mmCIF file of all heavy atoms in Angstrom:
data_model
loop_
_atom_site.group_PDB
_atom_site.id
_atom_site.type_symbol
_atom_site.label_atom_id
_atom_site.label_comp_id
_atom_site.label_asym_id
_atom_site.label_seq_id
_atom_site.Cartn_x
_atom_site.Cartn_y
_atom_site.Cartn_z
ATOM 1 N N GLN A 9 -0.985 20.171 126.440
ATOM 2 C CA GLN A 9 -1.485 18.834 126.147
ATOM 3 C C GLN A 9 -2.446 18.396 127.247
ATOM 4 O O GLN A 9 -2.265 18.716 128.416
ATOM 5 C CB GLN A 9 -0.335 17.832 126.063
ATOM 6 C CG GLN A 9 0.561 18.045 124.865
ATOM 7 C CD GLN A 9 1.560 16.920 124.706
ATOM 8 O OE1 GLN A 9 2.767 17.114 124.829
ATOM 9 N NE2 GLN A 9 1.061 15.715 124.422
ATOM 10 N N SER A 10 -3.459 17.657 126.827
ATOM 11 C CA SER A 10 -4.383 17.085 127.809
ATOM 12 C C SER A 10 -4.860 15.718 127.332
ATOM 13 O O SER A 10 -4.913 15.467 126.108
ATOM 14 C CB SER A 10 -5.588 18.016 128.020
ATOM 15 O OG SER A 10 -6.326 18.152 126.814
ATOM 16 N N PRO A 11 -5.160 14.825 128.251
ATOM 17 C CA PRO A 11 -4.878 14.946 129.678
ATOM 18 C C PRO A 11 -3.392 14.723 129.966
ATOM 19 O O PRO A 11 -2.646 14.334 129.071
ATOM 20 C CB PRO A 11 -5.710 13.802 130.272
ATOM 21 C CG PRO A 11 -5.712 12.752 129.201
ATOM 22 C CD PRO A 11 -5.747 13.508 127.891
ATOM 23 N N ARG A 12 -2.945 14.960 131.178
ATOM 24 C CA ARG A 12 -1.556 14.673 131.539
ATOM 25 C C ARG A 12 -1.331 13.181 131.735
ATOM 26 O O ARG A 12 -0.260 12.660 131.425
ATOM 27 C CB ARG A 12 -1.153 15.413 132.830
ATOM 28 C CG ARG A 12 -0.944 16.910 132.671
ATOM 29 C CD ARG A 12 0.158 17.250 131.660
ATOM 30 N NE ARG A 12 1.414 16.538 131.860
ATOM 31 C CZ ARG A 12 2.375 16.934 132.681
ATOM 32 N NH1 ARG A 12 2.242 18.014 133.403
ATOM 33 N NH2 ARG A 12 3.491 16.232 132.785
ATOM 34 N N HIS A 13 -2.338 12.539 132.253
ATOM 35 C CA HIS A 13 -2.281 11.092 132.459
ATOM 36 C C HIS A 13 -3.588 10.475 131.986
ATOM 37 O O HIS A 13 -4.655 11.061 132.175
ATOM 38 C CB HIS A 13 -2.084 10.748 133.945
ATOM 39 C CG HIS A 13 -0.858 11.355 134.540
ATOM 40 N ND1 HIS A 13 0.381 10.763 134.471
ATOM 41 C CD2 HIS A 13 -0.683 12.528 135.199
ATOM 42 C CE1 HIS A 13 1.269 11.541 135.081
ATOM 43 N NE2 HIS A 13 0.654 12.607 135.522
ATOM 44 N N GLU A 14 -3.469 9.299 131.363
ATOM 45 C CA GLU A 14 -4.655 8.592 130.911
ATOM 46 C C GLU A 14 -4.431 7.114 131.174
ATOM 47 O O GLU A 14 -3.428 6.549 130.728
ATOM 48 C CB GLU A 14 -4.884 8.834 129.422
ATOM 49 C CG GLU A 14 -6.036 8.049 128.811
ATOM 50 C CD GLU A 14 -7.380 8.702 129.058
ATOM 51 O OE1 GLU A 14 -7.446 9.939 129.096
ATOM 52 O OE2 GLU A 14 -8.358 7.960 129.220
ATOM 53 N N VAL A 15 -5.364 6.512 131.897
ATOM 54 C CA VAL A 15 -5.321 5.066 132.122
ATOM 55 C C VAL A 15 -6.588 4.481 131.528
ATOM 56 O O VAL A 15 -7.685 4.951 131.838
ATOM 57 C CB VAL A 15 -5.218 4.722 133.620
ATOM 58 C CG1 VAL A 15 -5.167 3.207 133.789
ATOM 59 C CG2 VAL A 15 -3.997 5.368 134.243
ATOM 60 N N THR A 16 -6.448 3.493 130.679
ATOM 61 C CA THR A 16 -7.611 2.929 130.015
ATOM 62 C C THR A 16 -7.431 1.433 129.844
ATOM 63 O O THR A 16 -6.323 0.903 129.974
ATOM 64 C CB THR A 16 -7.832 3.597 128.648
ATOM 65 O OG1 THR A 16 -9.109 3.228 128.127
ATOM 66 C CG2 THR A 16 -6.754 3.195 127.656
ATOM 67 N N GLU A 17 -8.516 0.786 129.550
ATOM 68 C CA GLU A 17 -8.439 -0.662 129.334
ATOM 69 C C GLU A 17 -8.270 -0.978 127.858
ATOM 70 O O GLU A 17 -8.744 -0.227 126.987
ATOM 71 C CB GLU A 17 -9.711 -1.330 129.858
ATOM 72 C CG GLU A 17 -9.835 -1.290 131.372
ATOM 73 C CD GLU A 17 -11.065 -2.036 131.859
ATOM 74 O OE1 GLU A 17 -11.928 -2.389 131.026
ATOM 75 O OE2 GLU A 17 -11.165 -2.258 133.082
ATOM 76 N N MET A 18 -7.637 -2.061 127.618
ATOM 77 C CA MET A 18 -7.423 -2.522 126.249
ATOM 78 C C MET A 18 -8.746 -2.544 125.496
ATOM 79 O O MET A 18 -9.776 -2.968 126.027
ATOM 80 C CB MET A 18 -6.831 -3.930 126.300
ATOM 81 C CG MET A 18 -6.452 -4.495 124.976
ATOM 82 S SD MET A 18 -5.565 -6.044 125.197
ATOM 83 C CE MET A 18 -6.820 -7.199 124.780
ATOM 84 N N GLY A 19 -8.704 -2.056 124.259
ATOM 85 C CA GLY A 19 -9.894 -2.052 123.425
ATOM 86 C C GLY A 19 -10.650 -0.736 123.436
ATOM 87 O O GLY A 19 -11.470 -0.476 122.554
ATOM 88 N N GLN A 20 -10.350 0.105 124.407
ATOM 89 C CA GLN A 20 -11.034 1.396 124.492
ATOM 90 C C GLN A 20 -10.412 2.407 123.532
ATOM 91 O O GLN A 20 -9.240 2.309 123.165
ATOM 92 C CB GLN A 20 -10.966 1.945 125.913
ATOM 93 C CG GLN A 20 -11.690 1.083 126.943
ATOM 94 C CD GLN A 20 -13.174 0.985 126.646
ATOM 95 O OE1 GLN A 20 -13.866 2.002 126.514
ATOM 96 N NE2 GLN A 20 -13.680 -0.228 126.533
ATOM 97 N N GLU A 21 -11.221 3.390 123.172
ATOM 98 C CA GLU A 21 -10.717 4.490 122.341
ATOM 99 C C GLU A 21 -10.064 5.526 123.239
ATOM 100 O O GLU A 21 -10.570 5.843 124.318
ATOM 101 C CB GLU A 21 -11.870 5.131 121.576
ATOM 102 C CG GLU A 21 -11.453 6.336 120.741
ATOM 103 C CD GLU A 21 -12.623 6.937 119.980
ATOM 104 O OE1 GLU A 21 -13.187 6.242 119.115
ATOM 105 O OE2 GLU A 21 -12.969 8.093 120.253
ATOM 106 N N VAL A 22 -8.933 6.055 122.782
ATOM 107 C CA VAL A 22 -8.191 7.081 123.522
ATOM 108 C C VAL A 22 -8.004 8.286 122.614
ATOM 109 O O VAL A 22 -7.633 8.121 121.446
ATOM 110 C CB VAL A 22 -6.812 6.555 123.953
ATOM 111 C CG1 VAL A 22 -6.009 7.660 124.610
ATOM 112 C CG2 VAL A 22 -6.952 5.363 124.889
ATOM 113 N N THR A 23 -8.273 9.466 123.143
ATOM 114 C CA THR A 23 -8.033 10.695 122.383
ATOM 115 C C THR A 23 -7.123 11.616 123.177
ATOM 116 O O THR A 23 -7.439 11.988 124.308
ATOM 117 C CB THR A 23 -9.347 11.428 122.065
ATOM 118 O OG1 THR A 23 -10.175 10.570 121.281
ATOM 119 C CG2 THR A 23 -9.058 12.707 121.280
ATOM 120 N N LEU A 24 -6.003 11.949 122.576
ATOM 121 C CA LEU A 24 -5.049 12.874 123.180
ATOM 122 C C LEU A 24 -5.178 14.205 122.464
ATOM 123 O O LEU A 24 -5.358 14.249 121.244
ATOM 124 C CB LEU A 24 -3.620 12.336 123.045
ATOM 125 C CG LEU A 24 -3.408 10.871 123.466
ATOM 126 C CD1 LEU A 24 -1.947 10.489 123.300
ATOM 127 C CD2 LEU A 24 -3.884 10.635 124.882
ATOM 128 N N ARG A 25 -5.033 15.284 123.232
ATOM 129 C CA ARG A 25 -5.276 16.610 122.686
ATOM 130 C C ARG A 25 -4.057 17.513 122.809
ATOM 131 O O ARG A 25 -3.276 17.387 123.763
ATOM 132 C CB ARG A 25 -6.477 17.243 123.377
ATOM 133 C CG ARG A 25 -7.774 16.489 123.140
ATOM 134 C CD ARG A 25 -8.925 17.020 123.949
ATOM 135 N NE ARG A 25 -10.174 16.361 123.578
ATOM 136 C CZ ARG A 25 -10.555 15.163 124.010
ATOM 137 N NH1 ARG A 25 -9.768 14.484 124.846
ATOM 138 N NH2 ARG A 25 -11.687 14.639 123.611
ATOM 139 N N CYS A 26 -3.951 18.432 121.865
ATOM 140 C CA CYS A 26 -2.799 19.333 121.849
ATOM 141 C C CYS A 26 -3.228 20.699 121.332
ATOM 142 O O CYS A 26 -3.844 20.796 120.262
ATOM 143 C CB CYS A 26 -1.703 18.756 120.955
ATOM 144 S SG CYS A 26 -0.270 19.823 120.741
ATOM 145 N N LYS A 27 -2.869 21.720 122.082
ATOM 146 C CA LYS A 27 -3.116 23.101 121.640
ATOM 147 C C LYS A 27 -1.779 23.734 121.304
ATOM 148 O O LYS A 27 -0.885 23.799 122.149
ATOM 149 C CB LYS A 27 -3.825 23.891 122.724
ATOM 150 C CG LYS A 27 -4.220 25.308 122.309
ATOM 151 C CD LYS A 27 -5.020 25.996 123.400
ATOM 152 C CE LYS A 27 -5.543 27.351 122.953
ATOM 153 N NZ LYS A 27 -4.484 28.251 122.478
ATOM 154 N N LEU A 28 -1.655 24.185 120.054
ATOM 155 C CA LEU A 28 -0.407 24.788 119.600
ATOM 156 C C LEU A 28 -0.215 26.171 120.205
ATOM 157 O O LEU A 28 -1.175 26.821 120.654
ATOM 158 C CB LEU A 28 -0.416 24.945 118.078
ATOM 159 C CG LEU A 28 -0.224 23.731 117.199
ATOM 160 C CD1 LEU A 28 -1.399 22.783 117.283
ATOM 161 C CD2 LEU A 28 0.033 24.160 115.764
ATOM 162 N N ILE A 29 1.018 26.638 120.175
ATOM 163 C CA ILE A 29 1.304 28.019 120.533
ATOM 164 C C ILE A 29 0.701 28.909 119.445
ATOM 165 O O ILE A 29 0.812 28.604 118.241
ATOM 166 C CB ILE A 29 2.817 28.247 120.657
ATOM 167 C CG1 ILE A 29 3.356 27.510 121.888
ATOM 168 C CG2 ILE A 29 3.149 29.732 120.730
ATOM 169 C CD1 ILE A 29 4.864 27.530 122.018
ATOM 170 N N SER A 30 0.089 30.001 119.861
ATOM 171 C CA SER A 30 -0.540 30.908 118.915
ATOM 172 C C SER A 30 0.458 31.383 117.869
ATOM 173 O O SER A 30 1.575 31.801 118.195
ATOM 174 C CB SER A 30 -1.100 32.114 119.687
ATOM 175 O OG SER A 30 -1.650 33.058 118.802
ATOM 176 N N GLY A 31 0.071 31.288 116.599
ATOM 177 C CA GLY A 31 0.941 31.736 115.524
ATOM 178 C C GLY A 31 1.814 30.644 114.930
ATOM 179 O O GLY A 31 2.422 30.829 113.879
ATOM 180 N N HIS A 32 1.896 29.508 115.623
ATOM 181 C CA HIS A 32 2.667 28.401 115.073
ATOM 182 C C HIS A 32 1.852 27.676 114.007
ATOM 183 O O HIS A 32 0.635 27.544 114.130
ATOM 184 C CB HIS A 32 3.064 27.426 116.185
ATOM 185 C CG HIS A 32 4.188 27.921 117.038
ATOM 186 N ND1 HIS A 32 4.871 27.113 117.920
ATOM 187 C CD2 HIS A 32 4.777 29.146 117.113
ATOM 188 C CE1 HIS A 32 5.821 27.820 118.513
ATOM 189 N NE2 HIS A 32 5.772 29.047 118.042
#
Side-chain angles (χ1 to χ4, degrees):
Chain A
Q9 291 188 245
S10 63
R12 287 300 310 274
H13 302 274
E14 175 82 34
V15 180
T16 191
E17 291 184 348
M18 185 172 103
Q20 296 298 305
E21 177 179 297
V22 175
T23 299
L24 311 181
R25 297 173 174 80
C26 176
K27 185 175 186 304
L28 285 68
I29 291 173
S30 177
H32 284 193

